[in-house]
Amino acid sequence: MSAPGKRESLREAYGKVLVELGERDPNLVVFDSDLSGSTRTILFGQKFPDRFFNVGVMESTMMTMAAGMSLSGRTVFASSFAIFAAGQSYNYVRQSICYNHANVKIVATHGGLLVGADGATHQIVEDIGLMRGLPGMTVIVPADAPTTRTAVRAVAERPGPAYVRLTPEDLPVVTDGRFTIGKANELRGGSDLTFVAVGSMVARALEVAEELGQVGVSVRVLDLASVKPFDEPALLRAARDTGAILVLEEHSVLTGVGALVASTTAENYPVPVRRVGVPDLFGESGEPWALLDRYGMSKERVREEAWELLRARGKVQ
Amino acid sequence: MGEEIPAGRIAELEATAREIRRDIIRMTAAAGSGQPGGSLSVTDLLTALLFEELRIDPKNPDAPDRDRLVLSKGHAAPALYAALSHRGYLPPEELLTLRQFGSRLQGFVDRRHLPFVEASTGGLGQGIGMAVGMALDARLAGRSSRIYAVIGDGECQAGPTWEALMAGGHFRLSNLVVLLDRNGLETEGSTESILGIEPITDKFRAFRYHTLEIDGHDFRQILGALAEARRTTDVPTAIVARTVKGKGVSFMEGKSAWHGKAPSRAEAEQALRELESPSGGSPR
C-alpha cells in the first residue's frame, strides 16, 4: 500500500481483539490499573468480568500479580500507559515476568510524544529501549490498527513475555495487517534509499517516500513493527541494495530502533545511517502532532535527512 | 490454638531444622558469600512448611493441585535449598555448588532450573505479588491449592509489598498465607532504627488479614498458626513470626553483620559444633 488510508484507533483494535481472544481461550485473563477506559481493556472487562482484574493504581504489582497468575499455564494480558507499564514497573517486568519467563503480554498504550497535552511526565520515549534490552522479551510496535490486531493475536499465541507499544492517537491505515513476529514488512520497494520506521512514523515515512518517488528517487520502506526479534536479513538486504538507511521512530534516538539499526549495520554491513526521532530531551504539553514536528520528527526533517543521505551516497549533488 | 502434635514429631522437625542449619553454614562457607543470618532465622518456618504443612510430592512436583511456596525473601535461598535437599527434591551433594558458575543453586532462587521453586525471587516486594497472583489463579481455576508467601521484615519497607498485600486483602484470598520472618534486622541494622515497620501486626490487620503473632522457632506455635490459617475461610492470614537472625549460632544471633556475610572456615567449624547439640547456640 502506498497512500495512507483512513485513521483508526489502535487501542480500540486491541480491546476488540482481546474480547475475541477471551472467547477463544476461557483461561485468558486481563489486568489493568485503573485505566481500562483508555487502554480499552474495558471491552474485555464488560464481557468477561470474572477474568478481568482492575487492580487500581499499582502498576508494578500488577506486573508481579500477572506473572504469578500466568505460571500455572494461563495467558495473561496486562495493560497500562507505557510510562507506567515500562517505566514505573521496569524491575518488576524484568524479574517477575522476564526472568521467570512468565506468559504475560504487556500491551502499553500511550507510548511516545503523541500523548500530547499531559506533557513530559506521561510521554515516555525510552520504553522501546528498556524493553528490548530484556532477555526473552518480544517487542512489537504496530504502525496501524490492522497490524495491532494481527500482532496482539500473534503475541497471545507465542509463549513467553511480550511488550506491545501502542499510541493514543488514531493512525492512518498503512498496512494490510499482514504481520509475522520476527519479520519486517516491506511496504514499498526501492533501490536508492531505505526508510526503516515504526509506529506513528510509518505513515510519515510512506508520505515522504511517495514525494521522493515523484522526483525520481526510489525509496524502500520497511515497517519494523517486530522490533525484537527483528528481521536482520531484511535490514542487511536493504543496506546492501540501497546503501543508506534513515530510521524514523517516535522514541529517543539514544536507545530505540535507530540504535538497533545503526549497531546492526555497523557490525555486519556498514552503510550511512541517520536517525529521525526524539533527541536527548523530555517532551512537554502540546498538540500531539505539533509535538512530533517540534521534537525533530517533522516531514521537512525527514526530507532533509533523506537528501543528506542521498548526497552522502553520491546519488545527488 | 493448634491441633495436638505428638512430641516425637516436634523432635523430628527440630532435628531436621538443625540439619538444615548445618547445611546453611556449610554452603555459605563453601560459597564464600550468601546470607546466613536471614536463612537461619527462617529455617524453622520453612521446615514446618516443607515437612508438615504443604501438600506436595517430590515424585510429582508439577501436580496442579499442589500447594505453592514463594520465598519472597529470596536471599534466604540457602535455607530453601537445604530444606529441598532433605525433602528429596535435590541431591545433597549439589548443595555445596551454591553460587558457583553453572550451578542450579543461584544466589537467589531460580524457578526455571529447580523443582519445587514456584517463583524466581530476589528483588524484594515481588515474590509476594506473584504469590497473590497465584492465589487469584488458583481460586479462579477452582483448584484447592494454598499459597504460602514468606516475606522478610526489611521487605516490609518496600511499597510494592503493601500493594500486593492490599490486593490480597481486597480480593479476600483466603487461600493465601503470608509468613513474616520478623528477625528485626536488615543489612545495616535494626528495622526499627532504619525505617520502622511497627506496629506490623496492626498493619496486616488494617490490610484486612487475619493476623497471628507467634514465636517463629517454636514448632507447636508455627503449626498451630498454619492450622488456624487453614480454618480461616473468608480472608487471607498473616503470621508474624518473631525470630532471631542467625538463630542457632551464638556469634551470629541478633547481629545484622551476618545478614550478607559468609562464615570463615574457623567460624563455620565453631557454628557446626554449636549446631550438633539439640539446644543450638543459645537457650530460647
Side-chain angles (χ1 to χ4, degrees):
Chain A
M1 289 196 189
S2 51
K6 68 180 168 68
R7 286 175 184 269
E8 242 191 283
S9 163
L10 281 62
R11 293 179 281 154
E12 195 68 19
Y14 163 53
K16 286 180 178 162
V17 169
L18 265 188
V19 173
E20 166 203 311
L21 293 172
E23 280 164 354
R24 209 183 302 159
D25 176 1
N27 293 318
L28 185 139
V29 304
V30 176
F31 282 83
D32 202 296
S33 51
D34 200 32
L35 290 169
S36 64
S38 292
T39 63
R40 305 310 292 152
T41 61
I42 194 166
L43 299 175
F44 182 94
Q46 286 164 344
K47 190 81 188 279
F48 307 107
D50 295 345
R51 291 190 270 145
F52 178 70
F53 300 96
N54 182 349
V55 295
V57 187
M58 43 177 244
E59 297 85 5
S60 310
T61 296
M62 172 173 76
M63 297 304 176
T64 61
M65 286 174 65
M69 176 66 95
S70 77
L71 290 179
S72 292
R74 288 184 198 278
T75 300
V76 179
F77 277 77
S79 279
S80 185
F81 291 177
I83 184 64
F84 307 123
Q88 177 92 352
S89 309
Y90 177 70
N91 188 34
Y92 299 80
V93 172
R94 180 181 184 274
Q95 178 184 302
S96 288
I97 296 178
C98 289
Y99 186 52
N100 274 279
H101 199 66
N103 193 28
V104 177
K105 321 302 173 183
I106 301 166
V107 179
T109 65
H110 296 68
L113 286 182
L114 288 177
V115 166
D118 278 350
T121 53
H122 286 54
Q123 296 163 339
I124 187 167
V125 293
E126 308 90 53
D127 55 324
I128 297 173
L130 286 170
M131 293 295 114
R132 83 176 173 90
L134 290 172
M137 183 65 108
T138 296
V139 180
I140 312 292
V141 186
D144 62 6
T147 301
T148 301
R149 283 188 272 273
T150 329
V152 170
R153 291 187 196 109
V155 297
E157 276 171 25
R158 179 186 172 95
Y163 180 81
V164 180
R165 184 211 217 201
L166 304 181
T167 173
E169 285 288 294
D170 293 358
L171 295 182
V173 173
V174 292
T175 75
D176 56 9
R178 253 180 300 187
F179 169 80
T180 306
I181 293 173
K183 292 286 175 207
N185 199 358
E186 187 177 307
L187 297 179
R188 186 186 170 97
S191 55
D192 293 328
L193 176 64
T194 298
F195 289 170
V196 172
V198 291
S200 60
M201 293 302 287
V202 173
R204 197 154 282 193
L206 285 168
E207 283 175 50
V208 177
E210 179 72 29
E211 288 174 13
L212 291 171
Q214 284 166 12
V215 296
V217 178
S218 163
V219 181
R220 182 179 303 187
V221 177
L222 290 184
D223 173 6
L224 206 72
S226 185
V227 172
K228 185 180 177 180
F230 83 102
D231 195 341
E232 186 171 312
L235 179 65
L236 297 180
R237 211 159 43 236
R240 269 194 303 273
D241 294 351
T242 70
I245 298 175
L246 181 64
V247 183
L248 300 86
E249 60 182 326
E250 187 197 338
H251 188 277
S252 169
V253 295
L254 298 184
T255 61
V257 177
L260 168 69
V261 169
S263 55
T264 304
T265 51
E267 272 188 358
N268 298 283
Y269 196 90
V271 293
V273 171
R274 297 187 68 86
R275 296 167 296 164
V276 165
V278 184
D280 190 14
L281 288 172
F282 287 113
E284 62 184 287
S285 292
E287 194 279 320
W289 294 95
L291 281 174
L292 249 56
D293 293 346
R294 290 285 300 278
Y295 279 79
M297 290 159 283
S298 65
K299 267 171 75 173
E300 293 68 32
R301 175 74 192 286
V302 177
R303 264 185 231 117
E304 284 165 21
E305 294 290 341
W307 285 113
E308 186 68 32
L309 280 169
L310 289 166
R311 277 193 292 275
R313 290 276 295 136
K315 296 201 174 182
V316 291
Q317 292 302 313
Chain B
M1 62 186 134
E3 294 130 31
E4 256 333 289
I5 300 140
R9 181 65 188 135
I10 298 290
E12 281 173 14
L13 290 170
E14 286 171 347
T16 301
R18 204 156 47 240
E19 287 307 314
I20 291 170
R21 286 195 166 91
R22 291 171 61 80
D23 284 336
I24 292 167
I25 297 299
R26 291 192 194 101
M27 292 165 77
T28 52
S33 69
Q35 277 101 337
S39 295
L40 293 167
S41 66
V42 82
T43 296
D44 297 318
L45 295 175
L46 290 182
T47 303
L49 286 165
L50 267 84
F51 291 84
E52 196 67 36
E53 175 70 9
L54 295 179
R55 193 175 47 180
I56 50 173
D57 178 5
K59 294 194 194 67
N60 191 11
D62 298 324
D65 279 341
R66 70 191 182 277
D67 289 340
R68 287 155 171 82
L69 172 73
V70 177
L71 187 65
S72 197
K73 54 168 287 183
H75 51 282
L80 183 62
Y81 298 149
L84 287 179
S85 127
H86 288 277
R87 190 68 174 82
Y89 285 94
L90 292 178
E93 59 273 17
E94 195 173 340
L95 291 180
L96 292 181
T97 69
L98 173 71
R99 288 175 166 254
Q100 287 177 19
F101 183 72
S103 171
R104 294 192 293 175
L105 308 187
Q106 294 292 296
F108 295 78
V109 293
D110 176 6
R111 164 184 102 83
R112 296 179 67 186
H113 298 108
L114 288 173
F116 182 88
V117 174
E118 304 285 354
S120 305
T121 54
L124 297 174
Q126 297 205 37
I128 177 67
M130 296 178 79
V132 169
M134 288 177 195
L136 260 185
D137 173 43
R139 186 169 74 185
L140 188 61
R143 285 195 303 267
S144 57
S145 306
R146 293 174 59 73
I147 317 298
Y148 297 82
V150 177
I151 66 174
D153 46 9
E155 187 169 14
C156 290
Q157 294 162 342
T161 298
W162 296 101
E163 295 181 355
L165 289 167
M166 195 184 299
H170 173 81
F171 291 111
R172 305 183 78 89
L173 296 173
S174 58
N175 56 350
L176 174 70
V177 182
V178 178
L179 295 103
L180 171 61
D181 178 18
R182 183 68 173 119
N183 62 36
L185 299 174
E186 54 188 304
T187 304
E188 302 209 321
S190 77
T191 57
E192 296 319 282
S193 69
I194 291 171
L195 185 69
I197 65 170
E198 294 292 346
I200 189 70
T201 307
D202 290 347
K203 288 189 172 79
F204 283 120
R205 199 173 296 125
F207 278 62
R208 308 182 199 172
Y209 284 67
H210 176 54
T211 58
L212 292 153
E213 285 184 19
I214 60 165
D215 175 344
H217 300 304
D218 179 330
F219 280 103
R220 279 189 200 285
Q221 290 191 34
I222 300 170
L223 295 174
L226 291 169
E228 186 170 324
R230 249 181 284 125
R231 292 192 297 270
T232 305
T233 54
D234 52 344
V235 292
T237 297
I239 299 170
V240 177
R242 308 272 170 199
T243 60
V244 175
K245 195 142 188 161
K247 175 69 179 175
V249 178
S250 60
F251 58 91
M252 290 186 177
E253 287 193 355
K255 299 219 169 53
S256 61
W258 289 99
H259 175 90
K261 184 176 79 163
S264 67
R265 180 181 292 189
E267 288 163 339
E269 281 169 9
Q270 188 193 332
L272 289 172
R273 274 195 300 278
E274 292 184 13
L275 287 165
E276 272 167 18
S277 68
S279 61
S282 65
R284 230 190 334 261

